[in-house]
Amino acid sequence: MNILDIIEHKKREKELTKEEIDYFIKNYTAGEITDYQAAALIMAICINGMTQNEILNLTNSMANSGDILDLSDISDNVIDKHSTGGVGDKITLIVMPIVASLGIPVGKMSGRGLGITGGTADKLESIPGYNINISVEEFKNNIKEIGISLMSQTCNLTPADKKIYALRDAISCANSIPLIASSIMSKKIASGANSIVLDVTCGKGSYMKNKEDAKRLAKMMNLIGKLAKIKTVCVLTNMDEPLGYSVGNSLEVIEAIQALKGNMAKDVEEVVFNMVFQMMRLSGKYQKNEINKKKVLEVINNGKAFEKFKELVARQNGDVTYIENPEKFEKAPIITPIISNEDGYIEKLDAYKIGKAGLELGIGRKRKEDNIDYRVGIVFDKKIGDRVKKDEILAYVHSNSAEKSIECVEAIKQAYKIGNKKIIKKNIIEIID
Ligand code: URA
């Protein structure tokens, strides 16, 4: 067998065999297949798609490219969540402490941001001292002892996905259903979760631009989960505008802190509650939705969810005084308001344009090796559906240079559409299980 034949088969739309997929994954992970050969195959997959069998084989092969965690000594039902990615997505930082404070053990390996999609690992690292690179042993101990741990994918978990994900981003192959489904589900299989709730984002700031594609992706991940005996629920959520009031690493941590204290933006609240309800249902401990809402409000209002977040930060060496006094987070040197020059309602706030503007500010990386600036970002005063008057502030740009600030203000003005229709946006599109 050789890689050229495999590329040729995919190029000619032939179904790849399990042996061919295993050969590619094994040899690419080991560095025996070059990046340009892998890029050719990935591009052929992206263009020609994959059959269900190919996707299942690719997922299993990637899951088995590294270690498979065994979390059975922690619980027979460890619950995980994952998002297919978006702009301003700080849901993990809010959902995980809430669920842990309800007595459901949660552990998650979080990724770094790539492209316009932010990463929870970067957001957590904006908390001074927070150690995201803990060992698997520490990860497991944290879940056992305090019911929660959030670490980065540093151990030898799905190394094939790590390489392929970075390659896809560099060759414009991120938005492929077979590749997203196998990337996410291989990580979930390898990380030992028994149940998962997947936030499948849909809209301008997401890989899936329309509902039909988001549903196809959700159904594929449900099928993979079922075959791997992992209870899987997909929550389809709207990503046409950025989620919540902030985009940027420490700015999103600050928003998450406020949310855990009960002060949530409406769109964040809708996604958080729906994700938490599904995780509660999958835990088997909570079944009735009416009671579940009361329980969630209880742990937010009595401060337990916020305390759980502090416990997590302290356990992973983060400076808890920043969580207690978020004003301690260092601010970007230049903060510029964006002023509306008309009256009306916000009809659009394009998440893709915001994501790109954020990338230029230094929120994320254009290339894997780029440095990011935790302080920079965008804070919105007005979002879709809000009324705005001429000369009112739409948003603030937090920047580290005057030049970037000017460019970003212009880009954000282009992302807003002000008209005379009051749009009511629905954030939960559908739940598929
Ligand atoms: N998140 C992942 O982990 N992989 C993808 O391909 C897309 C989003």
Side-chain angles (χ1 to χ4, degrees), residues 82-86 108 111 117 153 161 164-165 168 173-188 201 207 217:
H82 197 93
S83 162
T84 57
K108 177 165 168 54
T117 298
Q153 206 186 328
D161 175 62
I164 294 174
Y165 190 49
R168 279 166 55 204
C173 286
N175 58 346
S176 143
I177 292 178
L179 296 174
I180 297 175
S182 54
S183 160
I184 292 180
M185 295 308 286
S186 62
K187 285 192 283 259
K188 298 297 111 179
T201 55
Y207 292 130
L217 173 62

Side-chain angles (χ1 to χ4, degrees), residues 279-332:
M279 291 172 86
M280 290 169 89
R281 187 167 68 84
L282 288 185
S283 76
K285 286 189 181 174
Y286 300 90
Q287 294 302 330
K288 296 202 177 106
N289 263 344
E290 327 77 71
I291 303 179
N292 292 357
K293 180 153 190 195
K294 259 178 71 184
K295 294 263 175 212
V296 178
L297 287 171
E298 204 173 283
V299 293
I300 294 173
N301 293 335
N302 65 18
K304 279 195 174 165
F306 178 61
E307 285 305 314
K308 190 51 81 180
F309 186 56
K310 274 171 54 183
E311 216 179 338
L312 164 75
V313 171
R315 175 60 70 113
Q316 295 194 206
N317 278 333
D319 185 342
V320 196
T321 63
Y322 281 74
I323 311 303
E324 288 162 344
N325 307 297
E327 59 283 0
K328 278 187 79 172
F329 280 97
E330 195 185 338
K331 292 259 179 308

Side-chain angles (χ1 to χ4, degrees), residues 59 85 130 154 167 296 332 367:
T59 308
Y130 190 99
T154 40
L167 183 70
V296 178
R367 288 167 311 160

Side-chain angles (χ1 to χ4, degrees), residues 58-269:
L58 179 61
T59 308
N60 285 327
S61 196
M62 291 210 292
N64 287 302
S65 65
D67 299 334
I68 303 260
L69 288 193
D70 178 6
L71 302 179
S72 60
D73 52 332
I74 295 173
S75 158
D76 56 6
N77 194 8
V78 175
I79 306 193
D80 196 352
K81 70 130 327 238
H82 197 93
S83 162
T84 57
V87 180
D89 184 350
K90 68 276 298 169
I91 298 297
T92 294
L93 299 176
I94 308 167
V95 160
M96 297 307 246
I98 292 177
V99 174
S101 68
L102 289 162
I104 302 168
V106 287
K108 177 165 168 54
M109 311 246 174
S110 290
R112 301 204 175 272
L114 212 54
I116 65 162
T117 298
T120 305
D122 295 325
K123 294 171 199 180
L124 284 166
E125 275 190 338
S126 75
I127 305 168
Y130 190 99
N131 184 8
I132 190 91
N133 299 319
I134 55 174
S135 68
V136 170
E137 275 322 299
E138 288 170 285
F139 176 70
K140 286 173 70 165
N141 279 341
N142 293 354
I143 305 176
K144 258 188 222 162
E145 287 163 23
I146 64 165
I148 184 167
S149 192
L150 298 177
M151 71 180 290
S152 84
Q153 206 186 328
T154 40
C155 53
N156 186 32
L157 207 90
T158 55
D161 175 62
K162 247 187 246 174
K163 282 189 85 169
I164 294 174
Y165 190 49
L167 183 70
R168 279 166 55 204
D169 193 63
I171 61 169
S172 191
C173 286
N175 58 346
S176 143
I177 292 178
L179 296 174
I180 297 175
S182 54
S183 160
I184 292 180
M185 295 308 286
S186 62
K187 285 192 283 259
K188 298 297 111 179
I189 293 170
S191 64
N194 309 93
S195 308
I196 26 174
V197 181
L198 296 166
D199 181 351
V200 182
T201 55
C202 168
K204 292 196 170 67
S206 162
Y207 292 130
M208 297 295 105
K209 303 291 180 206
N210 60 58
K211 186 175 165 187
E212 291 65 42
D213 283 347
K215 271 178 97 162
R216 283 204 295 138
L217 173 62
K219 285 187 177 160
M220 180 48 67
M221 292 195 290
N222 274 352
L223 174 72
I224 300 172
K226 196 168 158 201
L227 293 172
K229 301 199 169 29
I230 299 175
K231 285 185 265 174
T232 309
V233 178
C234 292
V235 180
L236 263 59
T237 63
N238 188 316
M239 189 45 81
D240 274 331
E241 77 170 338
L243 202 50
Y245 281 109
S246 56
V247 178
N249 295 291
S250 64
L251 293 170
E252 290 188 46
V253 172
I254 296 169
E255 184 176 346
I257 292 169
Q258 286 160 352
L260 285 167
K261 290 179 161 180
N263 185 12
M264 285 188 219
K266 260 183 79 62
D267 53 354
V268 169
E269 182 178 280

